[in-house]
Amino acid sequence: MKKIINDPNSVVHEMLNGLVTTSNHLKLLDNSTVIVRTDAPIPNKVGIVSGGGSGHEPAHAGYVGKGMLDAAVAGEVFTSPTPDQVFEAIKAVDTGNGVFLVIKNYTGDVLNFEMAAELAEAEGIQVEKVIVNDDVAVEDSSFTTGRRGIAGTIFVHKIAGAMAESGAPLQAVKQVAEKVVANVRSMGMALTPCTVPASGKPSFHLEENEMEIGIGIHGEPGIERKPIATAEAIATELTEKVLGDYDFSGEVAVMVNGLGSTPEMELHIINKKVQAILADRGITVYKTYVGEYMTALEMAGCSVTLLKLDDEIKQLLDAPSEAQAFRQ
Amino acid sequence: MKKIINDPNSVVHEMLNGLVTTSNHLKLLDNSTVIVRTDAPIPNKVGIVSGGGSGHEPAHAGYVGKGMLDAAVAGEVFTSPTPDQVFEAIKAVDTGNGVFLVIKNYTGDVLNFEMAAELAEAEGIQVEKVIVNDDVAVEDSSFTTGRRGIAGTIFVHKIAGAMAESGAPLQAVKQVAEKVVANVRSMGMALTPCTVPASGKPSFHLEENEMEIGIGIHGEPGIERKPIATAEAIATELTEKVLGDYDFSGEVAVMVNGLGSTPEMELHIINKKVQAILADRGITVYKTYVGEYMTALEMAGCSVTLLKLDDEIKQLLDAPSEAQAFRQ
């Protein structure tokens, strides 16, 4: 295992302690794995909380900041945070206007975030949630009933975050988040596996000339393993599958996301073809994001996300954000 | 070779065409490899140009934007751009106030940028330059006389860019850029090599338990190969070598830079130790940057950069930037 770490069992703790030094706007709650805005809880604002297993950085702590999340809860690598940890986050951001949870659709996350919501409601905190399931590759998966939540989650953070920042009430935040979930689709692929530090071994094996289409962000099986194709063929396969799942006519936002060790150069090459496919279909691209937004440690590969836009989503997408991984 | 590409010989062309779709503020000059601000040339402003071989993304096109570079010139992968290409960039950003070149210290870059400067001066364009040589690992190297230029270059972009944006004349831009070069030091290490697409083979070999300290961003030899150490030992070795090279007492900015396939988690773990070392020495950290700023394709590894600050540099570091890879 080639990793720059100290102890495989303390990577999350050390990461979070390093991470908070990069911004005066972030703090780590004492004895926890919760990163919150230093100005939280913010009066008269719905608090937005997300999180999940670590290893997907910059998700989710990179999205904490004015205009996006109020708090992110980190579990162990590829492991859900506990209900107690999520409950800590909820308490840290609530000011009586309620808290909204953005949950990626993995069984552990859904269970633990929902249990945390119950704990919070028992203390009189209003909690609502949305479950993101943007990955069109497979129905049900190793850790998921239904579709998995992947990079499309970042658009939910952004739009729910902007809505909350505008002072909108909890139900309005929930409504627009649900619209984003309905309008967003993704699919990914990988060239190499990744290694969870505590395991020390790659999570699966791909031959030297092989790729896997539709793979999950924890290495869960995808649709097909086959010889590595060209970037154009890969972009076409991912984009066509996404387009075939929903009516994207009109205007979209595009995200080409790197899974960890894919050079930015290759993401731009994928993006070039995605843009060409959309132009051919008469779909207008309003905004394009290329980079590492939702990773799987050092997995090589990428995902393509499309978000169908309307005026409301466009306005919220364009709103300012001070989150480190989505500054605009 | 596991890469998401079409033709190894067209990666730069395709990358740049993909990249410009990510921002309305960037354009690719016709039949060139020059990315410029769409609003360039900007009246009454010194133009700032940088560039170099591709494969170091987001360097340098990611730093084009208001407050940083006016143009970035991309060569083939790990290959200097030609004088003609650099000359195109200079002409695209000059409005009579002169153009400032930020050059990383590689023999090819220095020769070709200087030749471009001569072509420009022959047409009456005032040109000044700075050569960045922040890498303390080795004196002279495969492609370099003297020290190599690595991630510290980003601070030169930022500070020279902010100075130019303020309306300062060419000599003032040059002066502050030289101060940054005098005040910045870096050192890197790698766990794995990277593969230039056109070569198809890794540029060097490291054993499964081996790392290289002081390696260059093109895989040029460093100081030593030895068994992989802990993150704390690696952070200590890099930081102590940097600290030993210059008097950093006072205030500094820190950059922990990923070379391509190192998970952000590991960079934060390195950063945690860097912060501890600086605190022990009584050095105040004003600002910390952790992420991929100057990469070497998919090389696994990192570098640590320290920049000594004074009031002028702090103010320019804090100035707004609209560059995609350094937005603030």
Side-chain angles (χ1 to χ4, degrees), chain A residues 2-6 11 14-15 17-19 21-22 55 57-58 77 189 191 206-208 210 228 230-232 260-261 264-266 268-272 275 288 290 298 327, chain B residues 2-6 11 14-15 17-19 21-22 55 57-58 77 189 191 206-208 210 228 230-232 260-261 264-266 268-272 275 288 290 298 327:
Chain A
K2 288 201 133 178
K3 287 192 181 288
I4 305 175
I5 61 175
N6 296 302
V11 290
E14 293 181 48
M15 165 180 74
N17 277 281
L19 192 152
T21 71
T22 61
E57 291 70 30
V77 177
M189 58 76 63
L191 297 177
L206 283 169
E207 298 299 333
E208 191 43 43
E210 213 178 22
I228 298 177
T230 61
E232 294 205 340
S261 64
E264 189 182 307
M265 170 181 284
E266 299 176 26
H268 288 305
I269 292 173
I270 287 281
N271 175 48
K272 175 173 180 287
Q275 303 285 328
T288 300
V290 174
E298 73 283 3
R327 200 162 292 179
Chain B
K2 289 202 132 177
K3 287 192 181 287
I4 305 175
I5 60 175
N6 295 302
V11 290
E14 293 181 48
M15 167 180 72
N17 277 279
L19 192 152
T21 71
T22 61
E57 291 70 32
V77 177
M189 57 75 63
L191 298 176
L206 284 170
E207 298 299 332
E208 190 45 40
E210 212 179 23
I228 299 178
T230 61
E232 294 204 341
S261 64
E264 190 183 307
M265 169 181 284
E266 299 176 27
H268 288 304
I269 292 172
I270 286 282
N271 175 48
K272 175 173 180 287
Q275 302 286 328
T288 300
V290 174
E298 73 283 2
R327 198 162 293 178

Coordinates of all heavy atoms in Angstrom, one line a residue, chain A residues 2-6 11 14-15 17-19 21-22 55 57-58 77 189 191 206-208 210 228 230-232 260-261 264-266 268-272 275 288 290 298 327, chain B residues 2-6 11 14-15 17-19 21-22 55 57-58 77 189 191 206-208 210 228 230-232 260-261 264-266 268-272 275 288 290 298 327:
Chain A
K2 N 0.8 2.0 -1.0 CA 1.6 3.3 -1.1 C 0.7 4.5 -0.7 O 0.0 5.0 -1.5 CB 2.2 3.4 -2.5 CG 3.3 2.4 -2.9 CD 4.1 2.9 -4.1 CE 5.6 2.7 -3.7 NZ 6.5 3.1 -4.8
K3 N 0.9 4.8 0.5 CA 0.1 6.0 1.0 C 0.9 6.8 1.9 O 1.8 6.3 2.6 CB -1.1 5.4 1.8 CG -2.2 4.8 0.9 CD -3.5 4.6 1.7 CE -4.5 4.0 0.8 NZ -5.1 4.9 -0.3
I4 N 0.6 8.1 2.0 CA 1.3 9.1 2.8 C 0.4 9.2 4.1 O -0.5 10.1 4.2 CB 1.5 10.4 2.1 CG1 2.2 10.2 0.8 CG2 2.2 11.4 3.1 CD1 2.4 11.5 0.0
I5 N 0.6 8.3 5.0 CA -0.2 8.3 6.2 C 0.7 8.0 7.4 O 1.8 7.7 7.3 CB -1.4 7.3 6.2 CG1 -0.9 5.9 6.0 CG2 -2.4 7.7 5.0 CD1 -2.0 4.8 6.1
N6 N 0.1 8.1 8.6 CA 0.8 7.7 9.8 C 0.2 6.3 10.3 O 0.9 5.3 10.1 CB 0.7 8.8 10.9 CG 1.4 10.0 10.5 OD1 2.6 10.0 10.2 ND2 0.6 11.1 10.4
V11 N -6.5 8.1 10.2 CA -6.5 9.0 9.0 C -7.6 10.1 9.0 O -7.3 11.2 8.7 CB -6.5 8.2 7.6 CG1 -5.2 7.5 7.4 CG2 -7.7 7.3 7.5
E14 N -6.8 12.8 11.7 CA -5.7 13.6 11.3 C -6.1 14.5 10.2 O -5.7 15.7 10.1 CB -4.5 12.8 11.0 CG -3.9 12.1 12.2 CD -2.6 11.3 11.8 OE1 -1.8 11.8 11.1 OE2 -2.6 10.1 12.1
M15 N -6.8 13.9 9.2 CA -7.3 14.7 8.1 C -8.1 15.9 8.5 O -7.8 17.1 8.1 CB -8.1 13.9 7.1 CG -8.9 14.7 6.1 SD -9.9 13.7 5.0 CE -11.2 13.2 6.1
N17 N -8.2 17.4 11.4 CA -7.4 18.4 12.1 C -6.5 19.2 11.1 O -6.2 20.4 11.4 CB -6.5 17.7 13.1 CG -7.3 17.5 14.4 OD1 -7.5 18.4 15.2 ND2 -7.8 16.3 14.6
G18 N -6.0 18.6 10.1 CA -5.3 19.4 9.1 C -6.2 20.3 8.3 O -5.8 21.5 8.0
L19 N -7.3 19.8 7.9 CA -8.2 20.5 7.1 C -8.7 21.8 7.7 O -8.8 22.9 6.9 CB -9.5 19.6 6.8 CG -10.5 20.0 5.7 CD1 -11.1 18.7 5.2 CD2 -11.5 20.9 6.2
T21 N -7.2 23.9 9.4 CA -6.2 25.0 9.3 C -6.2 25.7 8.0 O -5.5 26.8 7.9 CB -4.8 24.4 9.5 OG1 -4.3 23.7 8.4 CG2 -4.7 23.5 10.8
T22 N -6.9 25.2 7.0 CA -6.9 25.8 5.7 C -7.9 27.0 5.6 O -8.0 27.7 4.6 CB -7.2 24.8 4.6 OG1 -8.5 24.3 4.8 CG2 -6.2 23.7 4.6
G55 N -13.0 9.6 2.4 CA -12.4 9.0 1.2 C -12.9 9.6 -0.1 O -12.5 9.3 -1.1
E57 N -13.1 13.1 -0.5 CA -12.7 14.5 -0.4 C -12.5 15.1 -1.8 O -12.0 14.4 -2.7 CB -11.4 14.6 0.4 CG -11.6 14.3 1.9 CD -11.8 12.8 2.1 OE1 -11.3 12.0 1.4 OE2 -12.5 12.5 3.1
P58 N -13.0 16.3 -2.0 CA -13.4 17.3 -1.1 C -14.8 17.1 -0.4 O -15.2 17.8 0.4 CB -13.4 18.6 -1.8 CG -13.6 18.2 -3.2 CD -13.0 16.9 -3.4
V77 N -13.3 5.8 6.7 CA -13.2 5.7 5.3 C -14.2 4.8 4.7 O -14.3 3.6 5.2 CB -11.8 5.3 4.8 CG1 -11.7 5.1 3.3 CG2 -10.7 6.3 5.3
M189 N -17.0 5.6 -14.3 CA -16.2 4.5 -14.8 C -14.8 4.6 -14.1 O -14.4 5.6 -13.6 CB -16.0 4.5 -16.3 CG -15.4 5.7 -16.9 SD -13.6 5.9 -16.7 CE -13.1 4.5 -17.6
L191 N -10.6 3.0 -14.1 CA -9.5 2.3 -14.7 C -8.7 1.5 -13.7 O -8.0 0.5 -14.0 CB -8.5 3.3 -15.3 CG -8.9 4.2 -16.5 CD1 -7.8 5.1 -16.9 CD2 -9.3 3.3 -17.7
L206 N -8.6 -4.9 -11.6 CA -8.8 -4.7 -13.0 C -7.5 -5.1 -13.8 O -6.4 -4.7 -13.3 CB -9.2 -3.3 -13.3 CG -10.6 -2.9 -13.0 CD1 -10.8 -1.3 -13.1 CD2 -11.7 -3.6 -13.9
E207 N -7.7 -5.8 -14.9 CA -6.5 -6.1 -15.7 C -5.9 -4.8 -16.3 O -6.5 -3.8 -16.3 CB -6.9 -7.1 -16.8 CG -7.4 -8.4 -16.4 CD -6.4 -9.2 -15.5 OE1 -5.2 -9.0 -15.7 OE2 -6.9 -10.0 -14.7
E208 N -4.6 -5.0 -16.7 CA -3.9 -3.8 -17.2 C -4.6 -3.1 -18.4 O -4.4 -1.9 -18.6 CB -2.5 -4.3 -17.6 CG -1.5 -3.2 -17.9 CD -1.5 -2.0 -16.9 OE1 -1.6 -2.3 -15.7 OE2 -1.4 -0.8 -17.3
E210 N -8.0 -3.1 -18.8 CA -9.4 -3.2 -18.5 C -9.9 -2.0 -17.8 O -9.2 -1.3 -17.0 CB -9.6 -4.4 -17.6 CG -10.9 -5.2 -17.8 CD -11.0 -6.4 -16.8 OE1 -10.2 -6.4 -15.8 OE2 -11.7 -7.3 -17.1
I228 N -10.1 -1.0 -22.2 CA -10.1 0.4 -22.1 C -10.4 1.0 -23.5 O -9.8 0.6 -24.5 CB -8.7 1.0 -21.7 CG1 -8.4 0.5 -20.3 CG2 -8.7 2.5 -21.7 CD1 -7.0 1.0 -19.8
T230 N -11.4 4.6 -26.0 CA -10.9 6.0 -26.1 C -11.8 6.9 -25.2 O -12.9 6.5 -24.8 CB -11.1 6.5 -27.6 OG1 -12.5 6.5 -27.9 CG2 -10.3 5.6 -28.6
A231 N -11.2 8.0 -24.9 CA -12.0 9.0 -24.2 C -13.3 9.3 -24.8 O -14.3 9.5 -24.1 CB -11.1 10.3 -24.0
E232 N -13.3 9.4 -26.1 CA -14.6 9.7 -26.8 C -15.6 8.6 -26.6 O -16.8 8.9 -26.4 CB -14.3 10.0 -28.3 CG -13.4 11.2 -28.6 CD -13.6 11.8 -30.0 OE1 -14.1 11.1 -30.9 OE2 -13.3 13.0 -30.1
G260 N -10.1 10.6 -8.4 CA -9.0 10.7 -7.5 C -7.6 10.8 -8.2 O -6.9 11.8 -8.0
S261 N -7.3 9.9 -9.1 CA -6.0 10.0 -9.7 C -6.0 10.2 -11.2 O -5.0 10.1 -11.8 CB -5.1 8.7 -9.3 OG -5.7 7.6 -9.9
E264 N -6.2 16.1 -14.5 CA -7.2 17.0 -15.0 C -7.2 17.1 -16.5 O -8.3 17.3 -17.1 CB -6.8 18.4 -14.4 CG -7.8 19.5 -14.7 CD -7.4 20.8 -14.1 OE1 -7.0 21.0 -13.0 OE2 -7.5 21.8 -14.9
M265 N -6.1 16.9 -17.1 CA -6.0 16.8 -18.6 C -7.0 15.9 -19.2 O -7.7 16.2 -20.1 CB -4.6 16.4 -19.0 CG -4.4 16.0 -20.4 SD -2.7 15.5 -20.7 CE -1.8 17.0 -20.7
E266 N -7.1 14.7 -18.6 CA -8.0 13.7 -19.1 C -9.5 14.1 -18.9 O -10.4 13.8 -19.7 CB -7.7 12.3 -18.5 CG -6.3 11.9 -18.8 CD -5.8 10.6 -18.2 OE1 -6.7 9.7 -17.8 OE2 -4.6 10.4 -18.0
H268 N -10.6 17.1 -18.9 CA -10.9 18.1 -20.0 C -11.2 17.4 -21.3 O -12.0 17.9 -22.1 CB -9.8 19.1 -20.1 CG -9.7 20.1 -18.9 ND1 -10.8 20.8 -18.5 CD2 -8.7 20.4 -18.1 CE1 -10.4 21.6 -17.5 NE2 -9.2 21.3 -17.2
I269 N -10.4 16.3 -21.6 CA -10.6 15.6 -22.8 C -12.0 14.9 -22.9 O -12.7 15.0 -23.9 CB -9.5 14.6 -23.1 CG1 -8.2 15.4 -23.3 CG2 -9.8 13.6 -24.2 CD1 -6.9 14.5 -23.3
I270 N -12.4 14.4 -21.7 CA -13.8 13.8 -21.6 C -14.8 14.9 -21.8 O -15.8 14.8 -22.6 CB -14.0 13.1 -20.2 CG1 -13.2 11.8 -20.1 CG2 -15.4 13.0 -19.9 CD1 -13.9 10.6 -20.8
N271 N -14.6 16.0 -21.1 CA -15.5 17.1 -21.2 C -15.7 17.6 -22.6 O -16.8 18.0 -23.0 CB -15.1 18.3 -20.3 CG -16.0 19.5 -20.4 OD1 -17.2 19.4 -20.4 ND2 -15.4 20.7 -20.6
K272 N -14.6 17.7 -23.4 CA -14.7 18.2 -24.8 C -15.8 17.3 -25.6 O -16.6 17.9 -26.3 CB -13.4 18.1 -25.5 CG -13.3 18.4 -26.9 CD -11.9 18.5 -27.5 CE -11.9 18.8 -29.0 NZ -12.3 17.7 -29.8
Q275 N -19.4 17.9 -24.3 CA -20.0 19.2 -24.9 C -20.4 18.9 -26.3 O -21.5 19.4 -26.7 CB -18.9 20.3 -24.8 CG -18.4 20.6 -23.5 CD -19.3 21.4 -22.6 OE1 -20.1 22.2 -23.1 NE2 -19.2 21.1 -21.3
T288 N -20.3 24.6 -16.8 CA -19.6 23.3 -16.8 C -18.6 23.3 -15.7 O -17.8 24.3 -15.5 CB -18.8 23.1 -18.2 OG1 -19.8 23.1 -19.2 CG2 -18.1 21.8 -18.2
V290 N -15.4 21.1 -14.1 CA -14.5 20.0 -14.4 C -13.5 19.9 -13.2 O -12.8 20.9 -13.0 CB -13.8 20.1 -15.7 CG1 -12.7 19.1 -15.9 CG2 -14.7 20.1 -16.9
E298 N -7.8 7.1 -4.3 CA -6.9 7.3 -5.5 C -7.4 6.5 -6.7 O -6.6 6.1 -7.6 CB -5.5 6.9 -5.1 CG -5.2 5.4 -5.0 CD -5.6 4.9 -3.6 OE1 -6.3 5.6 -2.8 OE2 -5.4 3.7 -3.4
R327 N -16.0 27.5 -4.7 CA -16.0 28.9 -4.5 C -16.4 29.7 -5.7 O -15.9 29.4 -6.8 CB -14.6 29.4 -4.1 CG -14.6 30.7 -3.4 CD -13.3 30.9 -2.6 NE -13.2 30.0 -1.5 CZ -12.1 30.0 -0.7 NH1 -11.1 30.8 -0.9 NH2 -12.1 29.1 0.3
Chain B
K2 N -2.7 3.2 -18.6 CA -4.1 3.3 -18.3 C -4.5 4.8 -18.3 O -4.3 5.5 -17.3 CB -4.5 2.7 -17.0 CG -4.4 1.2 -17.0 CD -5.3 0.6 -15.9 CE -6.1 -0.6 -16.4 NZ -6.9 -1.2 -15.4
K3 N -5.0 5.3 -19.4 CA -5.3 6.7 -19.5 C -6.6 6.9 -20.3 O -6.9 6.1 -21.2 CB -4.2 7.5 -20.3 CG -2.9 7.6 -19.4 CD -2.0 8.6 -20.1 CE -0.7 8.7 -19.3 NZ -0.9 9.5 -18.0
I4 N -7.3 8.0 -19.9 CA -8.6 8.3 -20.6 C -8.2 9.3 -21.7 O -8.3 10.5 -21.5 CB -9.6 8.8 -19.7 CG1 -9.8 7.8 -18.5 CG2 -10.9 9.1 -20.4 CD1 -10.8 8.3 -17.4
I5 N -7.8 8.8 -22.8 CA -7.4 9.8 -23.9 C -7.9 9.2 -25.2 O -8.4 8.1 -25.3 CB -5.8 9.9 -24.0 CG1 -5.1 8.6 -24.2 CG2 -5.3 10.6 -22.7 CD1 -3.6 8.7 -24.4
N6 N -7.7 10.0 -26.3 CA -8.0 9.5 -27.6 C -6.7 9.2 -28.3 O -6.4 8.0 -28.5 CB -8.9 10.5 -28.4 CG -10.2 10.7 -27.8 OD1 -11.0 9.8 -27.6 ND2 -10.5 11.9 -27.3
V11 N -3.4 15.2 -27.1 CA -4.0 15.4 -25.7 C -4.0 16.9 -25.4 O -5.0 17.4 -24.7 CB -3.2 14.6 -24.6 CG1 -3.5 13.1 -24.7 CG2 -1.7 14.9 -24.6
E14 N -6.8 18.8 -27.4 CA -8.2 18.4 -26.9 C -8.4 18.9 -25.5 O -9.5 19.4 -25.2 CB -8.3 16.9 -26.9 CG -8.3 16.3 -28.3 CD -8.5 14.8 -28.2 OE1 -9.4 14.3 -27.5 OE2 -7.7 14.0 -28.9
M15 N -7.4 18.9 -24.6 CA -7.5 19.4 -23.3 C -7.9 20.9 -23.3 O -8.9 21.3 -22.6 CB -6.2 19.3 -22.5 CG -6.2 20.1 -21.2 SD -4.6 19.9 -20.3 CE -3.5 20.8 -21.3
N17 N -9.3 22.6 -25.7 CA -10.6 22.8 -26.2 C -11.7 22.5 -25.2 O -12.8 23.1 -25.2 CB -10.8 22.0 -27.5 CG -10.2 22.8 -28.7 OD1 -10.9 23.6 -29.2 ND2 -9.0 22.4 -29.1
G18 N -11.4 21.5 -24.4 CA -12.4 21.1 -23.3 C -12.4 22.2 -22.2 O -13.4 22.6 -21.7
L19 N -11.2 22.6 -21.9 CA -11.0 23.6 -20.8 C -11.7 24.9 -21.0 O -12.3 25.4 -20.0 CB -9.5 23.8 -20.6 CG -9.0 24.5 -19.4 CD1 -7.5 24.0 -19.1 CD2 -9.0 26.0 -19.5
T21 N -14.4 25.5 -22.3 CA -15.9 25.4 -22.1 C -16.3 25.6 -20.6 O -17.5 25.7 -20.3 CB -16.5 24.1 -22.6 OG1 -16.1 23.1 -21.7 CG2 -16.0 23.8 -24.0
T22 N -15.3 25.6 -19.7 CA -15.6 25.6 -18.3 C -15.8 27.1 -17.8 O -16.1 27.3 -16.6 CB -14.6 24.9 -17.4 OG1 -13.3 25.6 -17.6 CG2 -14.4 23.5 -17.8
G55 N 0.7 18.9 -18.5 CA 0.8 17.8 -17.6 C 0.9 18.3 -16.1 O 1.0 17.4 -15.2
E57 N -1.4 20.5 -14.8 CA -2.7 21.1 -14.6 C -3.1 21.0 -13.1 O -2.9 20.0 -12.5 CB -3.8 20.5 -15.5 CG -3.6 20.7 -16.9 CD -2.4 20.0 -17.5 OE1 -2.0 18.9 -17.1 OE2 -1.8 20.6 -18.5
P58 N -3.7 22.1 -12.5 CA -4.2 23.2 -13.2 C -3.2 24.3 -13.7 O -3.6 25.2 -14.3 CB -5.1 23.9 -12.1 CG -4.5 23.5 -10.8 CD -4.0 22.1 -11.1
V77 N 3.2 17.8 -23.6 CA 3.3 17.3 -22.2 C 4.8 17.3 -21.8 O 5.7 16.8 -22.5 CB 2.8 15.9 -22.1 CG1 3.0 15.3 -20.6 CG2 1.3 15.9 -22.4
M189 N 8.1 15.1 -3.0 CA 8.5 13.7 -2.9 C 7.4 12.9 -3.7 O 6.3 13.4 -3.9 CB 8.6 13.2 -1.5 CG 7.3 13.4 -0.6 SD 5.9 12.3 -0.9 CE 6.7 10.7 -0.5
L191 N 5.7 8.8 -4.5 CA 5.5 7.4 -4.3 C 5.5 6.6 -5.6 O 5.8 5.4 -5.6 CB 4.2 7.2 -3.5 CG 4.0 7.8 -2.1 CD1 2.6 7.5 -1.6 CD2 5.1 7.2 -1.2
L206 N 9.9 3.0 -9.2 CA 10.1 2.9 -7.7 C 9.5 1.6 -7.2 O 8.5 1.1 -7.7 CB 9.3 4.0 -7.0 CG 9.9 5.4 -7.1 CD1 8.9 6.5 -6.6 CD2 11.2 5.5 -6.3
E207 N 10.3 0.9 -6.3 CA 9.8 -0.3 -5.8 C 8.5 -0.1 -5.0 O 8.2 1.0 -4.6 CB 10.9 -1.0 -4.8 CG 12.2 -1.3 -5.5 CD 12.0 -2.3 -6.7 OE1 11.1 -3.2 -6.6 OE2 12.8 -2.3 -7.6
E208 N 7.9 -1.2 -4.7 CA 6.5 -1.2 -4.0 C 6.6 -0.5 -2.6 O 5.6 0.1 -2.2 CB 6.0 -2.6 -3.9 CG 4.5 -2.7 -3.5 CD 3.6 -1.7 -4.2 OE1 3.7 -1.5 -5.4 OE2 2.7 -1.1 -3.4
E210 N 9.0 1.8 -1.8 CA 10.0 2.9 -2.0 C 9.3 4.2 -2.3 O 8.3 4.3 -3.0 CB 10.9 2.5 -3.1 CG 12.3 2.9 -3.0 CD 13.1 2.5 -4.2 OE1 12.6 2.2 -5.3 OE2 14.4 2.4 -4.1
I228 N 9.2 3.8 2.2 CA 8.2 4.8 2.5 C 8.1 5.1 4.0 O 8.1 4.1 4.8 CB 6.8 4.3 2.1 CG1 6.8 4.1 0.5 CG2 5.7 5.3 2.5 CD1 5.4 3.5 0.0
T230 N 6.5 7.4 7.4 CA 5.2 7.9 7.8 C 5.0 9.3 7.2 O 5.9 10.0 6.9 CB 5.1 8.1 9.3 OG1 6.1 9.0 9.8 CG2 5.3 6.7 10.0
A231 N 3.7 9.8 7.2 CA 3.4 11.1 6.8 C 4.1 12.1 7.7 O 4.6 13.2 7.2 CB 1.9 11.4 6.9
E232 N 4.2 11.9 9.0 CA 4.9 12.8 9.8 C 6.4 12.9 9.5 O 7.0 14.0 9.5 CB 4.8 12.4 11.3 CG 3.3 12.5 11.8 CD 3.2 12.7 13.3 OE1 4.1 12.3 14.0 OE2 2.1 13.1 13.7
G260 N -0.8 14.7 -8.1 CA -1.7 14.2 -9.1 C -2.6 13.1 -8.6 O -3.8 13.3 -8.7
S261 N -2.1 12.0 -8.0 CA -3.0 11.0 -7.6 C -3.0 10.8 -6.1 O -3.5 9.8 -5.6 CB -2.6 9.7 -8.3 OG -1.3 9.2 -7.9
E264 N -6.7 13.8 -1.4 CA -6.7 15.0 -0.6 C -6.5 14.7 0.9 O -5.9 15.5 1.7 CB -8.0 15.8 -0.8 CG -8.1 17.1 -0.2 CD -9.4 17.8 -0.4 OE1 -9.9 17.9 -1.6 OE2 -10.0 18.3 0.6
M265 N -7.1 13.6 1.3 CA -6.9 13.1 2.7 C -5.5 13.1 3.1 O -5.1 13.6 4.2 CB -7.5 11.7 2.8 CG -7.2 11.0 4.1 SD -7.9 9.3 4.1 CE -9.6 9.7 4.4
E266 N -4.6 12.6 2.3 CA -3.2 12.5 2.6 C -2.5 13.9 2.7 O -1.6 14.1 3.5 CB -2.5 11.5 1.7 CG -3.1 10.1 1.7 CD -2.5 9.1 0.7 OE1 -1.4 9.3 0.3 OE2 -3.2 8.2 0.4
H268 N -4.0 16.6 3.6 CA -4.4 17.2 4.9 C -3.6 16.6 6.1 O -3.2 17.3 7.0 CB -5.9 17.0 5.2 CG -6.8 17.8 4.3 ND1 -6.7 19.2 4.2 CD2 -7.8 17.5 3.4 CE1 -7.6 19.7 3.4 NE2 -8.2 18.7 2.9
I269 N -3.3 15.3 6.0 CA -2.5 14.7 7.0 C -1.0 15.3 7.0 O -0.5 15.6 8.1 CB -2.5 13.1 6.8 CG1 -3.9 12.6 7.1 CG2 -1.4 12.5 7.7 CD1 -4.1 11.1 6.8
I270 N -0.5 15.4 5.9 CA 0.8 16.1 5.8 C 0.8 17.5 6.3 O 1.6 18.0 7.2 CB 1.3 16.2 4.3 CG1 1.8 14.8 3.8 CG2 2.4 17.3 4.1 CD1 3.1 14.4 4.2
N271 N -0.3 18.3 5.9 CA -0.4 19.6 6.4 C -0.5 19.7 7.9 O 0.0 20.7 8.5 CB -1.7 20.3 5.8 CG -2.0 21.6 6.3 OD1 -1.1 22.5 6.4 ND2 -3.2 21.9 6.7
K272 N -1.2 18.8 8.5 CA -1.3 18.8 10.0 C 0.1 18.8 10.6 O 0.3 19.6 11.6 CB -2.1 17.6 10.5 CG -2.2 17.4 12.0 CD -3.1 16.3 12.3 CE -3.3 16.1 13.8 NZ -2.1 15.5 14.4
Q275 N 2.0 22.2 10.0 CA 1.5 23.3 10.9 C 2.1 23.1 12.3 O 2.5 24.1 12.9 CB 0.0 23.2 11.0 CG -0.8 23.3 9.7 CD -0.9 24.7 9.2 OE1 -0.8 25.7 9.9 NE2 -0.9 24.9 7.9
T288 N -3.2 29.0 4.6 CA -2.7 27.6 4.2 C -3.5 27.2 3.0 O -4.8 27.3 2.9 CB -2.9 26.6 5.3 OG1 -2.1 27.0 6.4 CG2 -2.5 25.2 4.9
V290 N -4.2 23.8 0.6 CA -4.0 22.4 0.4 C -4.7 21.9 -0.8 O -6.0 22.2 -0.9 CB -4.4 21.6 1.7 CG1 -4.4 20.1 1.5 CG2 -3.6 22.0 2.9
E298 N -0.2 11.8 -13.2 CA -0.8 11.0 -12.2 C 0.2 10.6 -11.2 O 0.1 9.6 -10.5 CB -1.6 9.8 -12.7 CG -0.7 8.7 -13.3 CD -0.1 9.0 -14.7 OE1 -0.3 10.1 -15.2 OE2 0.6 8.1 -15.2
R327 N -9.6 30.7 -6.8 CA -10.6 31.7 -6.7 C -10.7 32.1 -5.3 O -10.8 31.3 -4.3 CB -12.0 31.0 -7.1 CG -13.0 32.1 -7.5 CD -14.1 31.5 -8.3 NE -13.7 31.1 -9.6 CZ -14.4 30.5 -10.5 NH1 -15.7 30.2 -10.3 NH2 -13.9 30.2 -11.7

